Amino acid sequence: MYSTTAATEATDDRAWLREMLRVENAIAVAGAAVGRIPPELAKEIEAACEPSRFDLEELTRRAVASATPVVPLVQDLRALVPAAAQPYVHLGATSQDVVDTALVLIARRVSSLVLDDLWAVADDLAELADRHRGTVQIGRTLLQRAVPTTFGAVCAGWLAGVDDAAVRLSAARSGLPLQYGGPVGLGVGTQLTEALGTALDLPVPPLPWHTRRQPIIEVATALAGVCGALATVATAVVLLAQNEIAELAEGAPGGSSAMPHKRNPARSALVLACAHQAPGLVAGLLGSQQVELQRSAGGWQAEAPTLTQLLRLTAAAAAHARELVGSLQVDTAQMLANAGDEHASQDAAGPLDATGLLVDRALEAHRAARP
């Protein structure tokens, strides 16, 4: 309910081991490329960076002593290579470089999964907006009846929010940079850093960001923005699926353990359950921005598990929303009936005609934003 299979596989302990070794492997590749590591010794390190050669449970246990899994990882990696190659393992790096870069790689992977589902949600909302541009629906403000609108215009608003969230997450994901600052964040040389960025296909920042956690904050707030945009849709479905309104229904509603007659908005509830947890996680990450001197004690260590949970929740929210919107049932007759006297008595031709323009603008913006 609170992750997806793909997101869990991309963020679990085995994924962390894989990505940390990917960083160590890339350091060896980069070092050889710029002449800092003899090529034959770099090959030995690359061959040793195979996750199956490491005892994950033992690494996890030993990580406690150093407050980081990188220390035992590097110890075991050095033990797997010839003595001549051992000094070149982890060349120039510090533990934070490996953890931060592994976190960036994981965040990029899961964000890509989120975006796949998010753009699918947006496509379905675009189709709903176009199909229902003339479907009259009573507007509701402060949960009270207002004046008529169209369901197409409502979907256009949802679409704009989802598009905005997708564009922002895409930008935050693309901007996640390499971390390679060495022991106190002074860097390890331009040539080697550039080569490592190339090996990992990551942008190289002007300076290491050991003490500047803005890249993490950017992606975290973008993920929370995704949850918020999807929660807006899910909240509307929950409200409009009430028996007394009955304008929308989930395509595959959930059941009840006690009341067989119920058709619960289960997917909407799951989107909202994920979204409700996001702000607290972002708050925790915001609190980690205060860094002591050249490396944080506690705040930095808290980031990885917190962002991991946020990535999983956002992936789940996007997957549930994709199912929800893709199978959404719209009762147009009930919408018209609920509009009732307000629609029948109001000279609404002008305002309702204007909703078509809003739909067209939203569809145009969606086509421009869609990769």
Side-chain angles (χ1 to χ4, degrees), residues 41-115:
L41 298 182
K43 291 290 185 184
E44 295 283 357
I45 298 170
E46 292 174 54
C49 290
E50 168 54 51
S52 63
R53 302 184 69 180
F54 292 80
D55 186 330
L56 181 57
E57 184 176 347
E58 179 66 10
L59 279 173
T60 303
R61 184 188 64 78
R62 288 159 57 206
V64 175
S66 304
T68 175
V70 179
V71 171
L73 179 74
V74 171
Q75 290 171 347
D76 290 356
L77 181 55
R78 286 189 173 129
L80 289 172
V81 301
Q86 290 175 1
Y88 298 104
V89 170
H90 197 59
L91 180 68
T94 191
S95 295
Q96 185 171 1
D97 295 330
V98 177
V99 171
D100 280 353
T101 302
L103 180 58
V104 162
L105 294 170
I106 287 170
R108 283 170 63 94
R109 171 60 182 153
V110 181
S111 294
S112 178
L113 299 173
V114 171
L115 285 166

Side-chain angles (χ1 to χ4, degrees), residues 16 19-24 27 68 70 73-74 90-105 177-189 192-193 196 200 202 205 207-211 213 294-295 300:
W16 270 96
E19 297 304 336
M20 289 190 296
L21 286 171
R22 181 180 169 191
V23 175
E24 296 289 357
I27 291 172
T68 175
V70 179
L73 179 74
V74 171
H90 197 59
L91 180 68
T94 191
S95 295
Q96 185 171 1
D97 295 330
V98 177
V99 171
D100 280 353
T101 302
L103 180 58
V104 162
L105 294 170
L178 173 73
Q179 181 75 282
Y180 198 30
V184 291
L186 297 178
V188 297
L192 184 54
T193 302
L196 182 56
L200 291 171
L202 291 176
L207 296 172
W209 45 282
H210 285 179
T211 58
R213 310 311 293 167
Q294 281 70 56
R295 181 161 301 115
W300 164 62

Side-chain angles (χ1 to χ4, degrees), residues 90-182:
H90 197 59
L91 180 68
T94 191
S95 295
Q96 185 171 1
D97 295 330
V98 177
V99 171
D100 280 353
T101 302
L103 180 58
V104 162
L105 294 170
I106 287 170
R108 283 170 63 94
R109 171 60 182 153
V110 181
S111 294
S112 178
L113 299 173
V114 171
L115 285 166
D116 286 345
D117 283 333
L118 199 57
W119 285 121
V121 171
D123 290 342
D124 286 337
L125 288 174
E127 194 277 331
L128 284 169
D130 194 28
R131 188 196 326 161
H132 292 286
R133 61 173 60 238
T135 300
V136 175
Q137 182 187 31
I138 190 68
R140 298 172 175 91
T141 60
L142 302 183
L143 297 181
Q144 302 297 306
R145 295 173 66 87
V147 297
T149 181
T150 65
F151 184 56
V154 171
C155 291
W158 296 342
L159 171 62
V162 171
D163 277 347
D164 287 348
V167 168
R168 186 181 178 200
L169 178 59
S170 182
R173 175 190 179 276
S174 298
L176 283 169
L178 173 73
Q179 181 75 282
Y180 198 30

Side-chain angles (χ1 to χ4, degrees), residues 213 217 280-292 296 298-300 302-303:
R213 310 311 293 167
I217 298 304
L281 294 169
V282 174
L285 291 166
L286 288 170
S288 296
Q289 289 185 96
Q290 178 182 333
V291 178
E292 308 87 6
S296 177
W300 164 62
E303 284 180 348

